[in-house]
């Protein structure tokens, strides 16, 4: 039997809900552990017949195919660590066994090895627990727990106020004591000596964990423009009320909006709780509506403020943002690089190094970068495509060629640059390693600007008004069907105003970025056996006839997100567990199961609910999470519903 240690949240992580009724994965994981080797081997063999050879998932300790591995998620945190978390990696863990015997300023640490990985949970086994039956002392811990450390942490954190001492758990200490008076000290010494050669977490793990979990993009009281849930033809100014990891709770305040309020308005008022991911299609920067001539419901004072920002954006001047205003740089679906921004660029002719480079041109998501002589004083090859004022090296802003300033020094990677730049980059790397604010220059691109977009990077921006496609209505009651849709208008900044064909196409339009995961090419629903709703909810719909009658063209398939290859989709095995946000009640996160693959969509089943409540999520969706996400952030995980307890889902007012 394996023990479950409660997550000791990092300082600064606030419990955002009453967790006494929060559901735990403990029973599920325990049942997986209880499977004997024979039964598990037989079951894994059955999975392998269906999925092919997936030995890389089965041999490194991950509980695949029972749990979706963390690195399968498009928006997972700890991305720089999850591929290193494997069976046999050694960590330090703060023990509570001796708290009653130690002085307040003395803490006990011991070593443990990773045995298995289930999402963000690690099954650890104490070093020294080598006898038969010692696995009963194994215990699960969340990677976000503040008492989990890299090897060597205790030895480097000795201060006058706090001292760490290494001592094994009582059952191991008692066993060693029985061998003789000095045996405990000898065993401890023999255990600690070879530690410099063991596999462990990176030295800066503690600083990175603090940054990842407690320093989100948004902060409380930030102001955004929020798509009106009940009227998608307009946005309203809203404030950030709470922040939990990547998820934010926003609400529309009376001082920003003086219009009429519907009785069922889920976004208005101090008591409202409207949760979204920080990259949600609901969110826009301050001034977006005026900049795009989109509907804006707000107070007169806010409208004047937003118009000034829009005018400045249109003229290329610095917008007069208030300190609480969210700018385009914080909204993911906006081009985040500008001319003269400085990045570190992978050398096209020598991939063992990067060089500092400047952004020369920006066209939507694509940027032209070049290496300048004042940043690089090394030898230049004749065929160097990246060096000089006349060079034109185009990449997508999420390209693997691009890194933030200081990345090479921070990662001990090759850097070709001037001495002045190297000194500057080293200061940034040192600050990142120590958890301090890096001394960026105004032109430097920081880690926050280097973002990953799961889109077809080779597709040109060719969206045109009138193009037809298939759409999953982001404001729908149930996320299990697609609709026939039209591009009503091509907006600025890569946005499209789209609507579902029918009599209400204009009144029920939605602004989406051209990279949106809610958009699909013509024929997608039929190909993957998904219901397609026609213009008048017709049961029989034929795209060929419809396009011919309307005199319209289908949007080229190259404009949409591609379907990942089979190897990637196999991370999400049918029956594997994860956590998922209820798209109809977006403040709820529930235990869930992968039920089916529909191209790049996953059919997600909410545990305990009927199949009719299943929802479709993009495989890179930011609304699905690895097992253990909720407990890491102090967020309530809803318990599975029994069939007799299932209430009716709320309906959205159009």
């Amino acid at each position: 039997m394996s023990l479950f240690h409660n997550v000791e949240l990092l300082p600064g992580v606030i419990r955002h809900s009453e967790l006494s009724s929060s559901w735990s994965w403990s029973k599920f994981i325990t049942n997986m552990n209880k499977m004997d080797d024979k039964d598990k081997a037989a079951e894994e063999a059955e999975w392998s017949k269906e999925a092919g050879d997936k030995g890389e998932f089965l041999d490194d300790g991950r509980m695949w195919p029972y749990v979706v591995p963390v690195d399968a998620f498009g928006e997972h945190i700890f991305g720089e660590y999850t591929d290193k978390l494997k069976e046999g990696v050694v960590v330090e863990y703060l023990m509570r066994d001796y708290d009653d015997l130690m002085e307040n300023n003395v803490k006990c640490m011991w070593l443990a090895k990773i045995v298995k990985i289930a999402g963000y949970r690690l099954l650890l086994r104490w070093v020294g627990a080598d006898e038969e039956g010692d696995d009963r002392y194994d215990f699960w811990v969340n990677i976000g727990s503040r008492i989990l450390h890299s090897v060597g942490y205790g030895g480097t954190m000795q201060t006058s106020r706090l001292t760490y001492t290494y001592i094994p758990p009582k059952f191991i200490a008692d066993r060693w004591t029985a061998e003789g008076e000095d045996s405990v000290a000898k065993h401890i010494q023999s255990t600690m000596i070879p530690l410099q050669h063991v596999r462990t977490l990176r030295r800066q793990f503690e600083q990175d964990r603090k940054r990842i979990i407690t320093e989100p993009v948004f902060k409380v009281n930030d102001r955004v423009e929020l798509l009106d849930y009940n009227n998608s033809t307009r946005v309203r100014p809203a404030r950030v009320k709470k922040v939990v990891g990547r998820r934010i709770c926003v609400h529309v305040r009376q001082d920003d909006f003086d219009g009429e309020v519907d009785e069922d308005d889920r976004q208005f008022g101090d008591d409202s709780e409207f949760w979204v991911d920080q990259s949600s299609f609901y969110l826009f920067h301050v001034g977006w509506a005026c900049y795009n001539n989109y509907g804006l419901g707000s107070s007169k004072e806010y409208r004047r403020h937003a118009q000034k920002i829009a005018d400045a954006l249109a003229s290329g001047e610095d917008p007069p943002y208030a300190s609480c205003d969210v700018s385009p740089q914080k909204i993911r679906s906006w081009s985040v690089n500008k001319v003269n921004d400085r990045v570190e660029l992978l050398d096209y002719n020598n991939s063992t190094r990067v060089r500092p480079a400047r952004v020369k041109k920006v066209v939507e998501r694509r940027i032209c970068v070049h290496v300048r002589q004042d940043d690089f004083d090394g030898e230049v090859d004749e065929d160097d495509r990246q060096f000089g004022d006349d060079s034109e090296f185009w990449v997508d802003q999420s390209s693997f060629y691009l890194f933030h300033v200081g990345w090479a020094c921070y990662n001990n990677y090759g850097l070709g640059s001037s001495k002045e730049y190297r000194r500057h980059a080293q200061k940034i790397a040192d600050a990142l390693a120590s958890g301090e604010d890096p001394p960026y220059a105004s032109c430097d691109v920081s880690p926050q600007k280097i973002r990953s977009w799961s889109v077809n990077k080779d597709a040109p921006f060719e969206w045109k008004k009138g193009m037809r496609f298939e759409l999953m209505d982001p404001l729908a009651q149930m996320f299990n069907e697609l609709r026939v849709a039209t591009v009503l208008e091509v907006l600025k900044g890569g946005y499209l105003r789209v609507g579902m064909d029918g009599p209400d196409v204009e009144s029920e339009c939605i602004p989406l970025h051209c990279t949106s995961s809610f958009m699909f090419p013509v024929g997608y629903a039929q190909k993957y056996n998904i219901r397609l709703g026609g213009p008048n909810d017709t049961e029989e719909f034929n795209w060929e006839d419809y396009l011919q009658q309307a005199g319209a063209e289908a949007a080229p398939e190259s404009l949409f997100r591609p379907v990942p290859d089979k190897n990637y989709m196999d991370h999400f095995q049918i029956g594997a567990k994860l956590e998922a946000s209820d798209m109809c009640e977006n403040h709820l996160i529930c235990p869930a199961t992968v039920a089916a693959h529909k191209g790049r969509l996953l059919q997600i089943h909410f545990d305990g609910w009927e199949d009719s409540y299943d929802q479709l999520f993009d495989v890179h969706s930011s609304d699905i999470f690895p097992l253990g996400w909720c407990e890491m952030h102090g967020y309530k995980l809803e318990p599975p519903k029994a069939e007799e307890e299932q209430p009716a889902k709320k309906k959205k007012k159009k």
Side-chain angles (χ1 to χ4, degrees), residues 60-298:
D60 62 6
R62 283 182 285 180
M63 291 183 68
W64 184 92
Y66 314 106
V67 176
V68 179
V70 171
D71 48 358
F73 293 84
E75 296 294 349
H76 72 280
I77 59 176
F78 288 108
E80 59 266 55
Y81 288 96
T82 50
D83 61 338
K84 306 294 191 302
L85 291 173
K86 297 182 179 181
E87 183 179 357
V89 170
V90 181
V91 297
E92 288 185 4
Y93 194 73
L94 186 65
M95 287 194 306
R96 302 301 188 190
D97 292 18
Y98 303 98
D99 281 0
D100 294 340
L101 304 176
M102 296 291 177
E103 297 180 5
N104 291 335
N105 66 332
V106 178
K107 301 295 181 183
C108 297
M109 304 275 281
W110 193 241
L111 309 172
K113 290 183 179 181
I114 295 177
V115 180
K116 293 179 183 176
I117 302 102
Y120 285 129
R121 280 194 174 189
L122 309 175
L123 181 62
L124 302 182
R125 179 169 298 162
W126 295 115
V127 171
D130 303 323
E131 296 188 4
E132 185 177 352
D134 280 355
D135 56 355
R136 68 183 184 276
Y137 297 107
D138 293 353
F139 60 98
W140 288 93
V141 62
N142 193 294
I143 190 176
S145 184
R146 65 181 178 183
I147 58 178
L148 178 75
H149 302 284
S150 57
V151 169
Y153 176 84
T156 60
M157 296 300 292
Q158 308 291 349
T159 67
S160 58
R161 292 183 300 173
L162 185 62
T163 299
Y164 291 97
T165 184
Y166 290 91
I167 186 169
K170 288 182 178 179
F171 77 95
I172 297 177
D174 291 344
R175 190 178 296 164
W176 289 349
T177 301
E179 298 177 9
E181 185 176 345
D182 300 327
S183 61
V184 174
K186 291 179 180 178
H187 274 291
I188 292 176
Q189 184 179 17
S190 64
T191 301
M192 304 301 292
I193 287 176
L195 288 184
Q196 58 182 331
H197 303 297
V198 301
R199 288 185 299 160
T200 187
L201 304 172
R202 295 196 316 197
R203 289 182 179 178
Q204 61 267 35
F205 169 69
E206 285 75 20
Q207 291 88 349
D208 287 346
R209 178 174 56 191
K210 179 178 182 296
R211 170 181 55 82
I212 290 168
I213 296 179
T214 66
E215 299 176 11
V217 173
F218 290 93
K219 62 181 184 297
V220 172
N221 206 42
D222 274 357
R223 181 164 59 183
V224 296
E225 292 189 357
L226 179 70
L227 189 67
D228 190 330
Y229 184 80
N230 288 340
N231 179 3
S232 60
T233 64
R234 71 178 183 184
V235 298
R236 295 182 291 181
R239 301 287 183 135
V240 175
K241 187 177 180 181
K242 301 176 184 177
V243 181
V244 181
R246 291 181 47 84
R247 294 184 68 76
I248 60 175
C249 178
V250 289
H251 67 140
V252 177
R253 299 195 326 195
Q254 194 167 0
D255 55 341
D256 282 329
F257 175 71
D258 54 13
E260 293 185 3
V261 179
D262 295 335
E263 290 183 4
D264 61 345
D265 194 329
R266 298 169 55 189
Q267 299 172 325
F268 181 83
D270 293 338
D271 296 330
S272 63
E273 295 258 328
F274 193 78
W275 286 89
V276 293
D277 183 83
Q278 65 186 24
S279 65
S280 171
F281 71 94
Y282 276 101
L283 303 178
F284 303 86
H285 66 84
V286 170
W288 180 88
C290 291
Y291 185 61
N292 280 286
N293 295 317
Y294 203 81
L296 174 64
S298 72

Side-chain angles (χ1 to χ4, degrees), residues 444-494:
D444 287 346
V445 166
S446 64
Q448 287 71 30
K449 275 195 177 182
I450 301 294
R451 304 184 180 192
S452 174
W453 290 57
S454 301
V455 297
N456 186 351
K457 300 176 179 61
D458 298 323
F461 188 76
E462 295 178 348
W463 285 98
K464 300 175 184 176
K465 181 178 180 179
M467 280 183 170
R468 299 304 204 272
F469 61 99
E470 296 179 6
L471 175 73
M472 182 181 294
D473 183 0
L475 304 178
Q477 164 64 12
M478 296 297 288
F479 291 80
N480 55 14
E481 69 172 18
L482 302 183
R483 299 287 301 276
V484 174
T486 299
V487 176
L488 302 176
E489 185 180 0
V490 178
L491 305 174
K492 299 174 184 177

Side-chain angles (χ1 to χ4, degrees), residues 336-337 343-346 348 354 365-369 386 393-404 407 445 449-455 457-458:
V336 295
N337 294 102
V343 297
E344 293 188 356
L345 179 70
L346 190 67
Y348 183 82
V354 298
R365 291 180 35 78
R366 297 189 66 77
I367 59 175
C368 177
V369 289
Q386 299 171 326
F393 192 77
W394 287 89
V395 292
D396 185 270
Q397 64 184 20
S398 66
S399 171
F400 68 92
Y401 276 101
L402 303 179
F403 303 86
H404 64 82
W407 180 87
V445 166
K449 275 195 177 182
I450 301 294
R451 304 184 180 192
S452 174
W453 290 57
S454 301
V455 297
K457 300 176 179 61
D458 298 323

Side-chain angles (χ1 to χ4, degrees), residues 417-445:
S417 71
S418 64
K419 292 181 180 179
E420 182 180 356
Y421 177 85
R422 180 178 288 276
R423 285 194 293 269
H424 174 64
Q426 189 61 57
K427 290 178 181 178
I428 291 173
D430 292 342
L432 289 172
S434 62
E436 299 173 355
D437 291 334
Y440 291 119
S442 59
C443 63
D444 287 346
V445 166

